Amino acid sequence: SSDVCSSDLKLCFDFDCGGWQTEGWVSNGKLSNISGRQGFLEFEIKDGNAAIQRKGLNLDTKLNQGTFVVHARSNAKGTLKFFANGELIGVSQVSGDNQFQDQQFVLGADWSGIIKEIKIEFNAPKGTQFEIDWMRIK
């Protein structure tokens, strides 16, 4: 629901804006057009390695502690890597069974200060379809 992400102070994306809204997420160009239709952020990997990123953040890590969860699915096995300010925060394996699963990234010592940019890197076979339902701190 859209009220989950009501605070600008929390790292939270629901992709429930309607239309083709991506909530500021952009691709590195190795993806099909990133789209935010039907409450999902979705795209296809073009060459096995691609990323989406969100710049222009001003997140205080003191207010965003715990685990960053990406609720996503894909049609092929792969790996997700979560970066903040260019630092690798964590890695998660995607099952590829087309079922939504929580990809969890524990926010540890590298998660400190003010976060200006986050990136999620995808490593999966060419043509893999990804769908992200939501991302947030839990």
Side-chain angles (χ1 to χ4, degrees):
S1 67
S2 57
D3 61 346
V4 173
C5 291
S6 59
S7 170
D8 284 342
L9 301 175
K10 293 283 187 185
L11 184 55
C12 188
F13 302 94
D14 267 346
F15 306 111
D16 288 340
C17 303
W20 294 89
Q21 296 296 316
T22 63
E23 296 188 32
W25 286 87
V26 296
S27 83
N28 67 351
K30 295 180 182 178
L31 304 171
S32 65
N33 282 341
I34 182 173
S35 66
R37 66 179 184 86
Q38 298 176 342
F40 299 103
L41 194 65
E42 59 184 24
F43 47 86
E44 178 183 317
I45 294 183
K46 287 184 180 178
D47 75 354
N49 183 329
I52 58 173
Q53 62 189 103
R54 178 68 164 76
K55 295 181 177 180
L57 299 172
N58 192 24
L59 289 167
D60 186 343
T61 55
K62 292 183 188 111
L63 302 174
N64 289 275
Q65 289 295 313
T67 303
F68 183 61
V69 180
V70 178
H71 192 67
R73 68 180 175 186
S74 72
N75 63 355
K77 287 184 180 183
T79 304
L80 263 62
K81 294 180 181 176
F82 176 55
F83 296 83
N85 293 342
E87 297 291 323
L88 178 63
I89 302 300
V91 180
S92 181
Q93 301 301 315
V94 180
S95 67
D97 62 4
N98 235 5
Q99 301 297 311
F100 278 104
Q101 295 179 326
D102 287 352
Q103 305 298 322
Q104 300 188 35
F105 304 95
V106 175
L107 304 175
D110 289 334
W111 182 258
S112 62
I114 301 297
I115 303 299
K116 298 287 189 184
E117 170 191 326
I118 57 178
K119 178 174 86 168
I120 299 173
E121 187 178 286
F122 305 90
N123 296 282
K126 180 179 178 180
T128 299
Q129 300 280 336
F130 270 97
E131 250 183 352
I132 299 172
D133 187 10
W134 49 260
M135 298 187 253
R136 69 180 70 112
I137 300 277
K138 280 193 158 180

